[in-house]
Amino acid sequence: MGKKIFFIILIAAGIFLRLYKINEIPAGFFIDEATIAVDSKVIAQNGMDEYGRAFPFAFEALSDYRPPGYVYLTALVFKFLGPSLLTVRFVALVSSIIGIFLLGYLTKLLFPQRKLLPYISMAVISTSQFHIHFSRIGYETTLATTLMLGFFVSLLILFKKRSFLWTIIGAICIIVSFWTYPGSKFIIPVLTGLLLIMGLLKSPIELNRKNVIYYSLFFLGICVIAYIPSIIHPLFDKRPISYIKEGTNGTLLGIITTKPLLLLNSWLYMFDFNFLFKNGDLFAYRHSTKEQGIFLSIFLVPFVLGLMATVRRFSNKSFSITFLIILTVVLGIPSALTSNTPYGTRILPIIIPFSIFIALGIDIILSEIDKLKIWLKFTTYALIILIVTFQLLLFSHIYFVHFKTTSLPEFPQAGADMAKFVKNYRQQHPKDLVYFLNARSCRQWSHDDLNLWYFADLNNIEMIKWNNLFREKRYKYINPFDAYDRITIPPYSFENLKLYAGYDEMEEAPRGSLLVRCGLHLENIKPYKDKIIKIFYMYPDENREPYYILSKKL
């Protein structure tokens, strides 16, 4: 009973770490979140995307098409919460918490005789720094991972006994996950196909062979239906598929000759201890803090023990172990196929089998500790509790103190704060003109124009006109990121606002106008020091690196 209480406390702690200051950390919008914010806003208010298309199936972004699942769910949240960071992150947050309990249920279905194991696996994933981080960002992969968990649970239940409810749940999970994140389009059909082969050859003793074949075929049929939009509109998947060329010369022969080895090398990298227990994904702050691994480092030994136990118990008669191994192989392929190292968003689903491996290892350790003399047993448990508590506190300090500052270049708080200020200013001074200097000259990845539209709640129709103006110019470039850097957008005026104004336009602005300038151009406004009314800094706690400077035209 005491062990169960301890793991329940860890689960509660993990949920708390997902909820704490969710509307503040990360401090601002990452570029993908800004795009989701705008699309969900215009869908919620006008039933169209940012280019004026009514209820589109996929949302056109800067360089690809965004699947509709996360956007439409966020649009529904927008109806209740309005414009805020929490609105964009709400779906990821809720789905991550649901995912904790779905993993516990999956573990119970796989190992029904081991009563404590579901609680252990839930505690492992709930305290995973990786899973906590992705639950606090508006990333589609968190929702997709939870939906895939729902499908896995449905599959295991249906393989044992027929259920109309779980058939519907499984079908819904497939369709929505397919159109939430691209990795699902590979993982679900491949996994289901391998299970179908198992059923056709010889079913494990725990399952109903007819059910394995029937439901595998049924869900593969659902996959085919879910693929129809991709067949009709191949552009939807063009960018994800293009990543397969990563590390090759781009030709078909080059992919065939070099990709298998790269795939194996990247897949094996998932098991790297530095990646799992020390540094995590070093690609960007939107993937991790770069100071913590995927799991608490105390779980390294249980992970190894769990892997060893799984390999040792592997048998064609044990469906649970076979399923776990197939799951591990399949879930790691989307990342390995498209990146030379584990890539944050694509590798997130691997946390499912890895959490179970760690849980198996912990279960083994606990059984061995229980054999010790009572004083040694309690001493060992006390030491474990102390280490786990320390590591959770250390992660909390890194994430809620250091990460808030170190991640600001990718999650700029200043843009969102500036937009809120401008919104309030316009409400108080409706007749004043507001001029914005070209925001794209600040940072390549700056999408503060989107933050502005989202928070300031500007007229959607005018927003759509401006987006289409930029879109026409963007398509003249083969690489959309080149367009992002090189296109000069003419000043665009609406609702007493002039976006992308230059210095000349600002010089000619009438008296009383509010001039919003990029902080990197601070030297250009030295003559106007006495007119500055507000400065927004990249690092606001330190008043360092001016990001936006607001001055009044006198």
Side-chain angles (χ1 to χ4, degrees):
M1 186 63 180
K3 296 174 193 172
K4 185 183 290 187
I5 291 173
F6 173 66
F7 289 119
I8 290 172
I9 290 172
L10 287 183
I11 294 166
I15 293 173
F16 172 77
L17 290 174
R18 285 163 173 76
L19 296 170
Y20 182 63
K21 291 189 175 181
I22 183 65
N23 212 22
E24 298 177 31
I25 302 173
F29 276 144
F30 165 58
I31 182 173
D32 287 357
E33 292 181 297
T35 305
I36 290 171
V38 172
D39 282 326
S40 64
K41 171 183 179 290
V42 290
I43 282 290
Q45 294 181 341
N46 293 84
M48 59 182 67
D49 69 2
E50 57 182 296
Y51 299 105
R53 291 170 291 206
F55 297 105
F57 186 81
F59 293 84
E60 185 177 350
L62 175 65
S63 60
D64 60 2
Y65 285 84
R66 187 168 301 283
Y70 197 98
V71 175
Y72 279 108
L73 287 173
T74 303
L76 183 62
V77 176
F78 186 96
K79 290 282 190 181
F80 296 95
L81 299 183
S84 71
L85 287 171
L86 178 59
T87 299
V88 182
R89 295 169 180 171
F90 185 84
V91 174
L93 173 66
V94 173
S95 63
S96 76
I97 295 172
I98 294 172
I100 294 171
F101 296 99
L102 282 175
L103 180 66
Y105 197 12
L106 180 70
T107 308
K108 180 181 179 180
L109 292 170
L110 288 171
F111 304 97
Q113 305 302 321
R114 306 172 79 163
K115 303 300 182 185
L116 189 62
L117 204 60
Y119 295 94
I120 302 175
S121 65
M122 286 192 290
V124 171
I125 195 173
S126 67
T127 57
S128 163
Q129 304 98 310
F130 201 53
H131 201 254
I132 291 170
H133 177 64
F134 277 102
S135 72
R136 300 176 63 89
I137 302 175
Y139 257 139
E140 301 100 322
T141 186
T142 311
L143 173 60
T145 300
T146 298
L147 288 167
M148 283 191 281
L149 261 170
F151 170 68
F152 301 153
V153 168
S154 302
L155 209 57
L156 294 186
I157 290 173
L158 293 168
F159 280 178
K160 294 180 180 179
K161 62 177 181 179
R162 298 197 174 194
S163 166
F164 178 76
L165 175 63
W166 283 104
T167 303
I168 297 299
I169 291 173
I172 291 173
C173 285
I174 289 176
I175 294 169
V176 180
S177 66
F178 261 48
W179 293 104
T180 295
Y181 199 71
S184 304
K185 298 178 184 179
F186 174 88
I187 291 168
I188 290 177
V190 171
L191 176 73
T192 308
L194 291 173
L195 294 175
L196 172 62
I197 293 171
M198 280 180 58
L200 290 172
L201 294 177
K202 185 168 269 190
S203 177
I205 57 174
E206 307 105 292
L207 305 178
N208 182 314
R209 186 180 183 188
K210 287 184 179 179
N211 283 5
V212 172
I213 297 172
Y214 173 80
Y215 283 108
S216 295
L217 286 171
F218 173 78
F219 286 129
L220 284 173
I222 297 296
C223 289
V224 172
I225 294 171
Y227 269 124
I228 290 175
S230 289
I231 297 170
I232 298 173
H233 302 287
L235 279 176
F236 289 173
D237 294 317
K238 183 178 179 181
R239 187 180 177 191
I241 292 174
S242 71
Y243 288 138
I244 296 174
K245 299 177 183 178
E246 182 82 20
T248 72
N249 61 12
T251 65
L252 179 61
L253 180 62
I255 294 172
I256 293 172
T257 55
T258 61
K259 200 62 187 181
L261 187 59
L262 292 173
L263 173 68
L264 178 62
N265 183 65
S266 181
W267 187 86
L268 290 173
Y269 200 113
M270 296 187 307
F271 296 88
D272 181 80
F273 290 164
N274 279 328
F275 168 69
L276 288 174
F277 302 105
K278 186 178 180 182
N279 298 321
D281 184 357
L282 296 174
F283 175 77
Y285 285 114
R286 58 185 181 272
H287 289 181
S288 74
T289 64
K290 300 187 183 183
E291 299 180 61
Q292 295 272 287
I294 308 303
F295 299 101
L296 299 177
S297 58
I298 193 175
F299 293 148
L300 189 155
V301 174
F303 177 69
V304 174
L305 290 175
L307 276 177
M308 291 171 61
T310 301
V311 173
R312 198 164 50 239
R313 293 177 53 196
F314 176 71
S315 164
N316 62 354
K317 293 183 179 180
S318 173
F319 173 76
S320 299
I321 297 300
T322 304
F323 179 82
L324 206 50
I325 291 174
I326 293 175
L327 199 61
T328 304
V329 172
V330 175
L331 290 180
I333 291 179
S335 174
L337 195 61
T338 55
S339 177
N340 293 333
T341 57
Y343 187 86
T345 53
R346 299 169 210 157
I347 203 66
L348 182 64
I350 201 66
I351 204 168
I352 297 169
F354 279 17
S355 294
I356 297 176
F357 289 142
I358 292 172
L360 289 168
I362 292 174
D363 199 38
I364 292 169
I365 292 172
L366 292 179
S367 64
E368 292 301 316
I369 293 175
D370 285 340
K371 297 175 184 177
L372 299 175
K373 293 180 179 180
I374 190 164
W375 68 268
L376 190 55
K377 179 170 68 174
F378 282 111
T379 302
T380 306
Y381 280 137
L383 184 61
I384 290 171
I385 292 170
L386 188 64
I387 294 172
V388 170
T389 303
F390 170 76
Q391 292 191 351
L392 282 176
L393 289 174
L394 177 62
F395 166 70
S396 301
H397 179 74
I398 289 171
Y399 200 88
F400 297 109
V401 178
H402 292 283
F403 182 71
K404 181 179 180 180
T405 301
T406 56
S407 65
L408 280 172
E410 288 186 47
F411 297 92
Q413 177 182 350
D417 290 344
M418 176 274 296
K420 290 178 182 177
F421 182 90
V422 171
K423 177 180 178 180
N424 293 332
Y425 180 89
R426 293 179 68 240
Q427 289 174 345
Q428 296 170 14
H429 308 86
K431 294 184 179 180
D432 283 7
L433 293 176
V434 180
Y435 284 68
F436 278 84
L437 189 68
N438 187 344
R440 296 186 195 280
S441 62
C442 295
R443 294 176 61 251
Q444 179 184 356
W445 286 97
S446 175
H447 248 212
D448 295 315
D449 44 309
L450 299 186
N451 286 343
L452 167 70
W453 294 331
Y454 186 61
F455 280 104
D457 197 24
L458 302 184
N459 183 291
N460 288 341
I461 303 302
E462 295 296 342
M463 181 201 304
I464 289 165
K465 288 180 184 177
W466 187 92
N467 270 332
N468 281 306
L469 176 69
F470 175 65
R471 184 169 174 255
E472 289 173 11
K473 293 177 176 291
R474 186 179 79 210
Y475 281 140
K476 294 179 181 178
Y477 290 81
I478 296 174
N479 185 337
F481 290 99
D482 290 341
Y484 193 83
D485 287 333
R486 299 174 187 173
I487 285 179
T488 301
I489 302 294
Y492 189 72
S493 301
F494 62 92
E495 294 185 355
N496 290 342
L497 275 146
K498 179 166 278 193
L499 292 178
Y500 291 82
Y503 291 109
D504 292 340
E505 286 83 13
M506 287 192 167
E507 287 294 330
E508 296 170 3
R511 292 175 61 184
S513 299
L514 181 68
L515 310 181
V516 184
R517 307 168 189 265
C518 174
L520 297 184
H521 297 272
L522 184 60
E523 67 278 2
N524 297 98
I525 65 164
K526 284 181 180 177
Y528 309 101
K529 262 188 175 180
D530 57 327
K531 303 171 187 176
I532 293 174
I533 60 174
K534 187 74 175 176
I535 298 179
F536 295 93
Y537 295 92
M538 169 67 79
Y539 301 97
D541 293 340
E542 306 165 22
N543 283 349
R544 184 162 59 89
E545 294 190 31
Y547 203 65
Y548 278 103
I549 296 140
L550 280 62
S551 60
K552 199 73 176 278
K553 183 70 179 289
L554 301 178

